[in-house]
């Protein structure tokens, strides 16, 4: 089952420079595990040590933000398109660490 | 060095003033590899906060797709600080994930002057860079009321290219 995953510039060091890769999985979590087998380290940039989706990464399945469709449990089907974008955020309040 | 058109800089400052005291944010897209910011896209601050900004995720997807279709990239990523200087906070540095972009900060804490400074933020390292304003011929006073902080800025009073 092939799912196309679009990779942002900052993560292309993990994919040998590829802008899009293919993976498989019934859920987003499965897909990321599958991708990590081929592109070691990629998953760690998207998932925290606690196993949650990183706060400053946006992942979309067919134009839906996965935060609104089950997060890592979001269901995937053959032919789905997954897009990863770095969140753009910041601000004067220096509480991020 | 960031080279930016005066009209685009004015539009960014107007956006920051309009949203004050909340932080304003947006991008200036340009052709991939050109390092020329040509298309100003004000973005929604999904946080609507005086101390934090975040692009709305759905708007960001739409804008990023549009850039893909037009062979563009985000050349400038800007936001305002509304009570502090135009210098990246720890938050800004910690979250910055687009090393090829110019991070432009605008401070609206003073009502009369607008502080504008530009940075590269790569792997948590902040490097300030000069801001080079071009095509500033129309309204010199508008540009001169800007303060470029410690950034060595050059302002060219040139005629717009092709005119």
């Amino acid at each position: 089952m092939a799912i196309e995953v679009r990779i942002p510039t900052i993560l292309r060091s993990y994919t040998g420079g590829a802008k899009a890769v293919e993976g498989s999985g019934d859920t987003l979590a499965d897909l990321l595990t599958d991708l990590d087998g081929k592109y070691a380290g990629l998953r760690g940039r998207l998932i925290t040590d606690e196993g949650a989706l990183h706060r400053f990464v946006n992942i979309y399945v067919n134009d839906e933000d996965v935060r609104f469709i089950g997060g890592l449990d979001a269901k995937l089907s053959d032919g789905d398109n997954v897009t990863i974008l770095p969140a753009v955020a910041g601000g004067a309040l220096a509480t991020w660490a | 060095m960031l080279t930016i058109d005066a009209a685009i800089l004015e539009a960014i400052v107007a956006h920051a003033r309009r949203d004050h005291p909340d932080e304003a944010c947006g991008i200036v897209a340009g052709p991939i590899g050109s390092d020329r910011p040509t298309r100003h896209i004000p973005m929604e601050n999904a946080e609507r906060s005086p101390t934090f900004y975040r692009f709305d995720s759905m708007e960001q997807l739409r804008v990023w797709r549009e850039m893909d279709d037009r062979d563009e990239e985000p050349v400038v990523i800007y936001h305002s600080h509304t009570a502090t200087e135009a210098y990246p906070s720890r938050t800004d540095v910690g979250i910055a994930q687009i090393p090829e972009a110019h991070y432009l900060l605008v401070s609206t804490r003073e009502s009369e002057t607008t502080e504008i400074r530009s940075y590269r933020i790569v792997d948590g390292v902040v490097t300030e860079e000069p801001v080079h304003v071009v095509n500033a011929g129309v309204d010199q006073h508008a540009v001169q009321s800007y303060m470029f902080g410690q950034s060595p800025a050059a302002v060219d009073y040139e005629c717009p290219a092709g005119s």
Side-chain angles (χ1 to χ4, degrees):
Chain A
M1 166 166 126
I3 294 159
E4 190 195 55
V5 183
R6 299 182 72 164
I7 306 291
T9 313
I10 193 161
L11 297 179
R12 286 178 198 160
S13 56
Y14 296 95
T15 60
K19 294 167 73 167
V21 300
E22 283 199 347
S24 63
D26 293 330
T27 64
L28 179 60
D30 292 345
L31 172 70
L32 296 183
T33 299
D34 176 61
L35 290 180
D36 205 58
K38 296 178 249 184
Y39 311 107
L42 181 63
R43 184 177 181 279
R45 295 294 300 271
L46 307 173
I47 307 287
T48 64
D49 291 344
E50 291 74 38
L53 186 59
H54 196 293
R55 194 174 157 208
F56 296 111
V57 171
N58 295 334
I59 302 183
Y60 309 86
V61 176
N62 301 336
D63 298 355
E64 299 271 6
D65 185 332
V66 296
R67 288 189 178 83
F68 306 128
I69 55 169
L72 289 167
D73 296 326
K75 294 277 181 287
L76 299 177
S77 309
D78 197 13
D80 279 350
N81 288 291
V82 171
T83 302
I84 302 170
L85 290 183
V88 181
L93 191 65
T95 54
W96 193 92
Chain B
M1 180 171 74
L2 169 64
T3 300
I4 189 166
D5 201 270
I8 292 174
L9 200 57
E10 282 164 30
I12 290 171
V13 171
H15 179 206
R17 288 287 170 197
R18 196 162 61 236
D19 285 9
H20 184 92
D22 286 348
E23 294 194 1
C25 56
I27 67 168
V28 188
I32 288 172
S34 71
D35 203 32
R36 284 288 288 172
T38 53
R39 193 164 65 93
H40 175 213
I41 308 169
M43 303 283 288
E44 186 90 5
N45 177 2
E47 302 285 328
R48 294 182 181 282
S49 159
T51 53
F52 199 76
Y53 80 95
R54 176 200 290 266
F55 286 5
D56 174 81
S57 66
M58 295 313 296
E59 182 182 31
Q60 187 186 348
L61 179 65
R62 185 175 55 72
V63 167
W64 256 244
R65 283 273 162 78
E66 197 177 80
M67 283 192 288
D68 257 5
D69 292 344
R70 299 167 62 120
D71 295 321
E72 291 174 334
E73 62 187 349
V75 178
V76 170
I77 295 173
Y78 72 87
H79 76 282
S80 62
H81 285 177
T82 59
T84 55
E85 67 175 327
Y87 191 85
S89 67
R90 277 174 54 209
T91 314
D92 294 329
V93 176
I95 301 172
Q97 300 179 81
I98 306 184
E100 63 273 26
H102 300 269
Y103 283 87
L104 188 75
L105 272 88
V106 174
S107 173
T108 56
R109 67 176 164 175
E110 307 285 348
S111 56
E112 298 299 317
T113 49
T114 305
E115 190 189 5
I116 299 165
R117 294 165 73 176
S118 184
Y119 308 87
R120 296 284 189 173
I121 306 175
V122 180
D123 293 333
V125 177
V126 177
T127 308
E128 186 162 7
E129 61 182 0
V131 177
H132 186 222
V133 182
V134 293
N135 300 334
V138 181
D139 184 357
Q140 299 188 5
H141 293 291
V143 171
Q144 285 165 352
S145 69
Y146 299 159
M147 192 173 75
F148 292 93
Q150 295 162 358
S151 170
V155 178
D156 284 352
Y157 297 102
E158 297 167 345
C159 294
S163 71

